[in-house]
Amino acid sequence: MSLLMVKSIDLSVIILTYNEELHIGRCINNLSSIVKTVYVVDSFSTDKTVQIAEKLGAKVYQNPFINQSIQFQWALNNCPIGTSWVMRMDADEYLEAPLIEEIKEKLNDLPESINGINLKRKHFFLGRWIKNGDRYPLILLRIWRKDKAHIEQRWMDEHIVLHEGKTVLFEGNFVDDNLNSVSWFIDKHNKYASREMIEILNQKYQLFTGDDSICHSGSDQAKIKRFIKNKIYNCLPIFSRPTLYFLYRYFIRLGFLDGKEGFAYHFMQGFWYRCLVDLKVFEAEKVIKGSTKKEEVIFRLSKLTGLDL
Protein backbone atom coordinates (compact mmCIF):
# COMPACT_ATOMS: atom_id res chain seq x y z
CA MET A 1 0.00 0.00 0.00
CA SER A 2 1.41 3.40 -0.89
CA LEU A 3 2.08 5.76 2.00
CA LEU A 4 0.36 8.54 0.11
CA MET A 5 -2.99 6.76 0.37
CA VAL A 6 -2.96 6.53 4.16
CA LYS A 7 -4.08 9.22 6.62
CA SER A 8 -1.31 9.54 9.19
CA ILE A 9 -0.16 11.54 12.20
CA ASP A 10 2.43 14.33 12.25
CA LEU A 11 5.44 12.01 12.20
CA SER A 12 8.27 11.29 9.77
CA VAL A 13 10.70 8.38 9.93
CA ILE A 14 14.32 8.09 8.83
CA ILE A 15 15.69 4.69 7.79
CA LEU A 16 19.32 4.12 6.80
CA THR A 17 19.82 1.32 4.28
CA TYR A 18 22.37 -0.70 2.41
CA ASN A 19 21.18 -3.85 0.60
CA GLU A 20 18.05 -4.21 2.72
CA GLU A 21 15.66 -5.69 0.14
CA LEU A 22 14.87 -8.48 2.61
CA HIS A 23 13.54 -6.05 5.22
CA ILE A 24 12.68 -2.65 3.79
CA GLY A 25 9.20 -3.57 2.54
CA ARG A 26 8.22 -5.04 5.91
CA CYS A 27 9.50 -1.96 7.70
CA ILE A 28 7.77 0.62 5.51
CA ASN A 29 4.46 -1.24 5.37
CA ASN A 30 4.52 -1.61 9.14
CA LEU A 31 4.86 2.16 9.59
CA SER A 32 2.38 3.19 6.90
CA SER A 33 -0.53 3.88 9.28
CA ILE A 34 1.35 6.29 11.55
CA VAL A 35 3.83 8.27 9.44
CA LYS A 36 3.39 11.02 6.89
CA THR A 37 6.74 10.55 5.22
CA VAL A 38 9.39 7.84 5.11
CA TYR A 39 12.90 9.07 4.33
CA VAL A 40 15.28 6.34 3.22
CA VAL A 41 18.94 7.36 3.16
CA ASP A 42 20.69 4.68 1.17
CA SER A 43 24.42 3.93 0.86
CA PHE A 44 24.22 3.00 -2.84
CA SER A 45 22.64 -0.43 -2.47
CA THR A 46 23.30 -2.96 -5.21
CA ASP A 47 20.06 -4.90 -4.65
CA LYS A 48 16.41 -3.80 -4.97
CA THR A 49 16.26 -1.73 -1.77
CA VAL A 50 15.79 1.59 -3.54
CA GLN A 51 13.18 0.29 -5.98
CA ILE A 52 11.11 -1.31 -3.21
CA ALA A 53 11.28 1.82 -1.04
CA GLU A 54 10.26 4.14 -3.87
CA LYS A 55 7.41 1.84 -4.92
CA LEU A 56 6.04 2.03 -1.38
CA GLY A 57 6.11 5.84 -1.42
CA ALA A 58 9.32 6.56 0.45
CA LYS A 59 11.54 9.51 -0.43
CA VAL A 60 14.97 8.06 -1.18
CA TYR A 61 18.27 9.88 -0.87
CA GLN A 62 21.73 8.44 -1.37
CA ASN A 63 24.92 9.38 0.42
CA PRO A 64 28.31 7.64 0.81
CA PHE A 65 28.57 5.78 4.11
CA ILE A 66 31.32 6.50 6.63
CA ASN A 67 29.63 5.41 9.83
CA GLN A 68 26.15 5.23 11.30
CA SER A 69 26.43 8.49 13.23
CA ILE A 70 27.65 10.60 10.34
CA GLN A 71 25.06 9.08 7.98
CA PHE A 72 22.16 9.69 10.32
CA GLN A 73 23.21 13.25 11.08
CA TRP A 74 23.46 13.81 7.32
CA ALA A 75 19.87 12.60 7.07
CA LEU A 76 18.74 15.02 9.79
CA ASN A 77 20.52 17.89 8.05
CA ASN A 78 19.44 17.13 4.49
CA CYS A 79 16.03 15.45 4.47
CA PRO A 80 13.25 18.08 4.12
CA ILE A 81 11.39 16.97 7.23
CA GLY A 82 8.08 18.80 7.46
CA THR A 83 6.53 17.14 10.50
CA SER A 84 6.62 18.02 14.18
CA TRP A 85 7.99 14.62 15.19
CA VAL A 86 10.84 12.48 13.83
CA MET A 87 11.44 8.77 14.31
CA ARG A 88 14.52 6.59 13.87
CA MET A 89 14.10 3.03 12.59
CA ASP A 90 16.46 0.42 11.22
CA ALA A 91 15.34 -1.46 8.13
CA ASP A 92 15.20 -4.78 10.01
CA GLU A 93 12.90 -3.39 12.72
CA TYR A 94 9.14 -3.08 13.03
CA LEU A 95 6.57 -1.92 15.57
CA GLU A 96 4.22 -4.30 17.31
CA ALA A 97 0.51 -3.51 17.00
CA PRO A 98 0.05 -2.24 20.59
CA LEU A 99 2.84 0.32 20.08
CA ILE A 100 1.30 1.51 16.80
CA GLU A 101 -1.99 2.12 18.60
CA GLU A 102 -0.21 3.81 21.50
CA ILE A 103 1.54 6.22 19.14
CA LYS A 104 -1.76 7.02 17.44
CA GLU A 105 -3.48 7.66 20.76
CA LYS A 106 -0.79 9.58 22.63
CA LEU A 107 1.58 11.39 20.29
CA ASN A 108 -0.57 14.40 19.47
CA ASP A 109 -1.59 14.93 23.10
CA LEU A 110 1.81 15.01 24.78
CA PRO A 111 2.58 18.17 26.80
CA GLU A 112 5.04 20.66 25.31
CA SER A 113 7.59 19.78 27.99
CA ILE A 114 7.96 16.31 26.43
CA ASN A 115 10.41 16.39 23.53
CA GLY A 116 11.32 12.72 23.30
CA ILE A 117 9.75 9.27 23.48
CA ASN A 118 11.65 6.23 24.69
CA LEU A 119 10.64 2.88 23.24
CA LYS A 120 11.31 -0.69 24.38
CA ARG A 121 13.16 -2.95 21.97
CA LYS A 122 12.67 -6.71 21.66
CA HIS A 123 15.43 -8.65 19.92
CA PHE A 124 14.76 -11.80 17.89
CA PHE A 125 17.50 -14.22 16.88
CA LEU A 126 16.83 -17.15 14.55
CA GLY A 127 13.13 -16.56 15.10
CA ARG A 128 13.21 -16.56 18.90
CA TRP A 129 12.63 -13.61 21.22
CA ILE A 130 15.70 -13.20 23.42
CA LYS A 131 13.95 -12.26 26.66
CA ASN A 132 16.76 -12.75 29.14
CA GLY A 133 20.48 -12.04 29.52
CA ASP A 134 19.80 -8.34 30.20
CA ARG A 135 18.52 -7.96 26.63
CA TYR A 136 14.94 -6.90 27.34
CA PRO A 137 13.79 -4.27 27.56
CA LEU A 138 16.43 -2.15 25.87
CA ILE A 139 15.11 1.39 26.26
CA LEU A 140 16.04 3.73 23.43
CA LEU A 141 15.04 7.26 22.42
CA ARG A 142 13.48 6.70 19.01
CA ILE A 143 10.92 9.53 18.58
CA TRP A 144 11.63 13.21 19.21
CA ARG A 145 10.39 16.66 18.29
CA LYS A 146 12.03 18.03 15.18
CA ASP A 147 15.25 19.97 15.86
CA LYS A 148 15.25 18.92 19.52
CA ALA A 149 17.80 16.11 19.25
CA HIS A 150 20.99 14.98 17.56
CA ILE A 151 22.83 11.70 17.22
CA GLU A 152 26.04 11.09 19.15
CA GLN A 153 29.08 11.26 16.88
CA ARG A 154 30.71 7.94 17.68
CA TRP A 155 32.04 4.99 15.71
CA MET A 156 29.89 2.57 17.71
CA ASP A 157 26.97 2.50 20.15
CA GLU A 158 25.57 5.85 19.09
CA HIS A 159 22.35 7.17 20.66
CA ILE A 160 19.84 9.87 19.81
CA VAL A 161 20.18 12.58 22.48
CA LEU A 162 17.79 15.42 23.32
CA HIS A 163 19.03 19.01 23.43
CA GLU A 164 16.33 20.00 25.89
CA GLY A 165 13.07 18.87 27.45
CA LYS A 166 11.89 15.65 29.01
CA THR A 167 11.15 12.16 27.75
CA VAL A 168 8.33 9.72 28.29
CA LEU A 169 8.38 5.93 28.02
CA PHE A 170 5.73 4.22 25.88
CA GLU A 171 4.65 0.75 26.94
CA GLY A 172 4.54 -0.96 23.54
CA ASN A 173 7.48 -2.73 21.92
CA PHE A 174 9.38 -2.47 18.68
CA VAL A 175 11.17 -5.51 17.34
CA ASP A 176 14.67 -6.05 15.93
CA ASP A 177 14.27 -9.16 13.77
CA ASN A 178 16.98 -9.57 11.16
CA LEU A 179 16.24 -12.29 8.59
CA ASN A 180 19.76 -12.63 7.18
CA SER A 181 22.00 -15.67 7.65
CA VAL A 182 24.40 -16.46 10.47
CA SER A 183 27.25 -15.75 8.03
CA TRP A 184 25.85 -12.24 7.57
CA PHE A 185 25.61 -11.84 11.37
CA ILE A 186 29.29 -12.80 11.72
CA ASP A 187 30.40 -10.42 8.98
CA LYS A 188 28.39 -7.57 10.50
CA HIS A 189 29.88 -8.10 13.94
CA ASN A 190 33.38 -8.30 12.49
CA LYS A 191 32.84 -4.79 11.12
CA TYR A 192 31.30 -3.65 14.40
CA ALA A 193 34.34 -4.97 16.28
CA SER A 194 36.69 -2.70 14.30
CA ARG A 195 34.54 0.32 15.14
CA GLU A 196 34.29 -0.60 18.79
CA MET A 197 38.05 -1.07 18.93
CA ILE A 198 38.39 2.52 17.71
CA GLU A 199 36.09 3.72 20.51
CA ILE A 200 38.13 1.86 23.14
CA LEU A 201 41.45 3.23 21.90
CA ASN A 202 39.98 6.71 21.59
CA GLN A 203 38.92 6.54 25.24
CA LYS A 204 42.43 5.46 26.19
CA TYR A 205 44.50 7.80 24.00
CA GLN A 206 42.10 10.71 23.30
CA LEU A 207 42.75 10.50 19.56
CA PHE A 208 39.81 12.67 18.59
CA THR A 209 36.82 14.26 20.25
CA GLY A 210 34.62 11.68 21.96
CA ASP A 211 30.89 12.08 22.30
CA ASP A 212 29.24 10.84 25.48
CA SER A 213 26.19 13.09 25.29
CA ILE A 214 24.01 10.20 26.43
CA CYS A 215 25.61 10.46 29.88
CA HIS A 216 24.06 13.90 30.35
CA SER A 217 20.59 13.66 28.84
CA GLY A 218 19.84 10.01 28.04
CA SER A 219 17.60 7.49 29.75
CA ASP A 220 18.75 6.15 33.11
CA GLN A 221 19.35 2.75 31.52
CA ALA A 222 21.50 4.21 28.74
CA LYS A 223 23.50 6.33 31.19
CA ILE A 224 24.20 3.36 33.44
CA LYS A 225 25.21 1.11 30.55
CA ARG A 226 27.60 3.72 29.12
CA PHE A 227 29.11 4.37 32.59
CA ILE A 228 29.68 0.66 33.22
CA LYS A 229 31.19 0.19 29.78
CA ASN A 230 33.56 3.19 30.01
CA LYS A 231 34.51 3.09 33.66
CA ILE A 232 34.40 -0.60 34.52
CA TYR A 233 34.30 -3.00 31.54
CA ASN A 234 36.89 -1.21 29.40
CA CYS A 235 39.24 -0.99 32.38
CA LEU A 236 39.30 -4.76 32.94
CA PRO A 237 42.06 -6.91 31.39
CA ILE A 238 41.40 -7.86 27.76
CA PHE A 239 40.10 -11.40 27.14
CA SER A 240 39.03 -11.77 30.79
CA ARG A 241 36.25 -9.20 30.47
CA PRO A 242 34.33 -11.09 27.72
CA THR A 243 34.35 -14.20 29.93
CA LEU A 244 32.97 -12.29 32.91
CA TYR A 245 30.38 -10.56 30.74
CA PHE A 246 29.15 -13.84 29.21
CA LEU A 247 28.88 -15.52 32.61
CA TYR A 248 26.94 -12.54 33.92
CA ARG A 249 24.53 -12.55 30.97
CA TYR A 250 24.06 -16.29 30.66
CA PHE A 251 23.81 -17.32 34.30
CA ILE A 252 23.17 -14.31 36.56
CA ARG A 253 20.79 -12.63 34.07
CA LEU A 254 19.24 -15.99 33.13
CA GLY A 255 20.23 -16.10 29.47
CA PHE A 256 20.13 -19.91 29.67
CA LEU A 257 16.33 -19.67 29.73
CA ASP A 258 16.37 -18.56 26.07
CA GLY A 259 16.99 -22.08 24.74
CA LYS A 260 19.34 -23.14 21.94
CA GLU A 261 18.85 -19.91 20.03
CA GLY A 262 19.55 -18.01 23.22
CA PHE A 263 22.78 -19.87 23.88
CA ALA A 264 23.91 -19.18 20.32
CA TYR A 265 23.06 -15.49 20.63
CA HIS A 266 24.48 -14.88 24.10
CA PHE A 267 27.65 -16.80 23.23
CA MET A 268 28.19 -15.15 19.85
CA GLN A 269 27.13 -11.62 20.78
CA GLY A 270 28.15 -11.63 24.44
CA PHE A 271 31.39 -13.65 24.29
CA TRP A 272 32.69 -14.25 20.75
CA TYR A 273 32.04 -10.68 19.64
CA ARG A 274 33.55 -9.19 22.80
CA CYS A 275 36.61 -11.44 22.35
CA LEU A 276 36.89 -10.26 18.75
CA VAL A 277 36.87 -6.65 19.92
CA ASP A 278 39.62 -7.44 22.43
CA LEU A 279 41.64 -9.24 19.77
CA LYS A 280 41.42 -6.19 17.52
CA VAL A 281 42.45 -3.94 20.41
CA PHE A 282 45.42 -6.26 21.08
CA GLU A 283 46.41 -6.16 17.42
CA ALA A 284 45.97 -2.41 17.13
CA GLU A 285 48.12 -1.74 20.19
CA LYS A 286 50.96 -3.58 18.44
CA VAL A 287 50.39 -1.65 15.21
CA ILE A 288 50.50 1.78 16.89
CA LYS A 289 53.36 0.95 19.26
CA GLY A 290 56.14 3.47 18.90
CA SER A 291 53.91 6.18 17.43
CA THR A 292 54.48 9.48 19.24
CA LYS A 293 51.95 11.69 17.43
CA LYS A 294 48.16 11.34 17.30
CA GLU A 295 48.19 11.86 13.56
CA GLU A 296 50.48 8.88 13.10
CA VAL A 297 48.34 6.69 15.40
CA ILE A 298 45.18 7.63 13.51
CA PHE A 299 46.89 6.98 10.17
CA ARG A 300 48.02 3.51 11.27
CA LEU A 301 44.58 2.64 12.65
CA SER A 302 42.89 3.86 9.47
CA LYS A 303 45.23 1.71 7.37
CA LEU A 304 44.62 -1.30 9.63
CA THR A 305 40.84 -1.07 9.63
CA GLY A 306 40.07 0.54 6.28
CA LEU A 307 37.94 3.10 8.13
CA ASP A 308 38.03 6.78 7.18
CA LEU A 309 39.18 8.09 10.55
Side-chain angles (χ1 to χ4, degrees):
M1 180 182 297
S2 171
L3 296 176
L4 301 177
M5 298 173 61
V6 181
K7 184 178 181 181
S8 54
I9 60 179
D10 198 25
L11 174 67
S12 296
V13 64
I14 296 173
I15 308 168
L16 305 186
T17 60
Y18 177 71
N19 287 350
E20 290 286 358
E21 66 179 10
L22 193 60
H23 302 109
I24 191 63
R26 180 184 69 180
C27 183
I28 293 175
N29 283 322
N30 172 255
L31 297 167
S32 62
S33 66
I34 61 167
V35 299
K36 281 189 175 179
T37 310
V38 172
Y39 295 99
V40 169
V41 177
D42 183 73
S43 306
F44 298 97
S45 291
T46 58
D47 65 1
K48 297 180 181 179
T49 299
V50 170
Q51 296 93 313
I52 295 170
E54 289 179 337
K55 184 177 181 180
L56 292 172
K59 295 183 178 180
V60 178
Y61 298 80
Q62 290 188 305
N63 189 58
F65 185 86
I66 298 176
N67 64 37
Q68 198 83 357
S69 296
I70 292 173
Q71 189 79 331
F72 199 87
Q73 192 60 50
W74 186 93
L76 290 176
N77 295 341
N78 290 276
C79 293
I81 299 170
T83 55
S84 300
W85 293 91
V86 187
M87 183 178 191
R88 176 188 182 183
M89 286 287 283
D90 292 341
D92 59 359
E93 296 173 341
Y94 61 88
L95 311 182
E96 292 187 331
L99 178 56
I100 291 175
E101 293 306 312
E102 189 173 9
I103 291 171
K104 289 179 179 178
E105 293 173 6
K106 296 181 179 179
L107 189 66
N108 292 332
D109 297 323
L110 290 173
E112 292 185 3
S113 61
I114 301 298
N115 283 338
I117 301 169
N118 291 319
L119 304 180
K120 296 188 291 187
R121 187 177 77 173
K122 294 169 67 172
H123 187 87
F124 278 70
F125 184 72
L126 296 178
R128 179 166 184 149
W129 175 19
I130 307 299
K131 299 180 184 179
N132 301 290
D134 204 25
R135 302 305 293 168
Y136 178 82
L138 292 180
I139 298 172
L140 302 168
L141 179 65
R142 284 303 189 94
I143 303 175
W144 62 95
R145 292 190 193 271
K146 182 185 174 185
D147 298 327
K148 298 297 183 181
H150 72 281
I151 189 165
E152 288 182 298
Q153 289 305 297
R154 298 171 57 88
W155 280 93
M156 193 67 192
D157 192 30
E158 73 287 338
H159 288 259
I160 298 292
V161 180
L162 286 183
H163 302 147
E164 59 184 272
K166 300 178 181 179
T167 61
V168 64
L169 175 65
F170 279 7
E171 291 302 314
N173 300 297
F174 74 101
V175 176
D176 179 337
D177 185 9
N178 193 287
L179 304 175
N180 282 302
S181 67
V182 170
S183 294
W184 181 93
F185 173 93
I186 291 171
D187 180 61
K188 179 184 78 168
H189 280 78
N190 181 44
K191 295 173 182 174
Y192 281 179
S194 294
R195 298 171 190 170
E196 187 137 6
M197 174 269 286
I198 295 297
E199 287 293 341
I200 291 172
L201 293 184
N202 186 46
Q203 180 185 340
K204 183 176 180 179
Y205 296 112
Q206 302 297 301
L207 301 174
F208 31 74
T209 304
D211 190 346
D212 279 316
S213 304
I214 197 68
C215 296
H216 306 293
S217 60
S219 69
D220 289 341
Q221 185 193 68
K223 290 178 184 177
I224 292 170
K225 285 180 176 290
R226 180 68 58 79
F227 176 85
I228 291 173
K229 191 171 189 179
N230 286 349
K231 302 301 184 180
I232 300 176
Y233 183 88
N234 287 347
C235 297
L236 294 173
I238 62 171
F239 300 124
S240 65
R241 51 196 182 193
T243 303
L244 295 173
Y245 179 54
F246 172 72
L247 293 174
Y248 167 77
R249 267 176 63 166
Y250 198 67
F251 293 105
I252 297 176
R253 299 297 292 176
L254 307 180
F256 64 86
L257 295 178
D258 290 324
K260 293 178 181 178
E261 296 88 352
F263 172 78
Y265 178 75
H266 293 301
F267 180 83
M268 293 298 292
Q269 202 273 341
F271 181 71
W272 172 82
Y273 168 66
R274 306 300 334 169
C275 281
L276 184 59
V277 172
D278 277 2
L279 179 59
K280 294 199 176 197
V281 170
F282 187 64
E283 177 189 38
E285 292 277 19
K286 290 181 177 294
V287 168
I288 66 176
K289 187 176 181 180
S291 301
T292 58
K293 296 182 179 180
K294 289 184 180 180
E295 294 79 6
E296 176 64 20
V297 173
I298 293 171
F299 173 79
R300 292 189 185 187
L301 290 176
S302 183
K303 187 176 180 180
L304 174 66
T305 62
L307 297 173
D308 184 8
L309 303 177

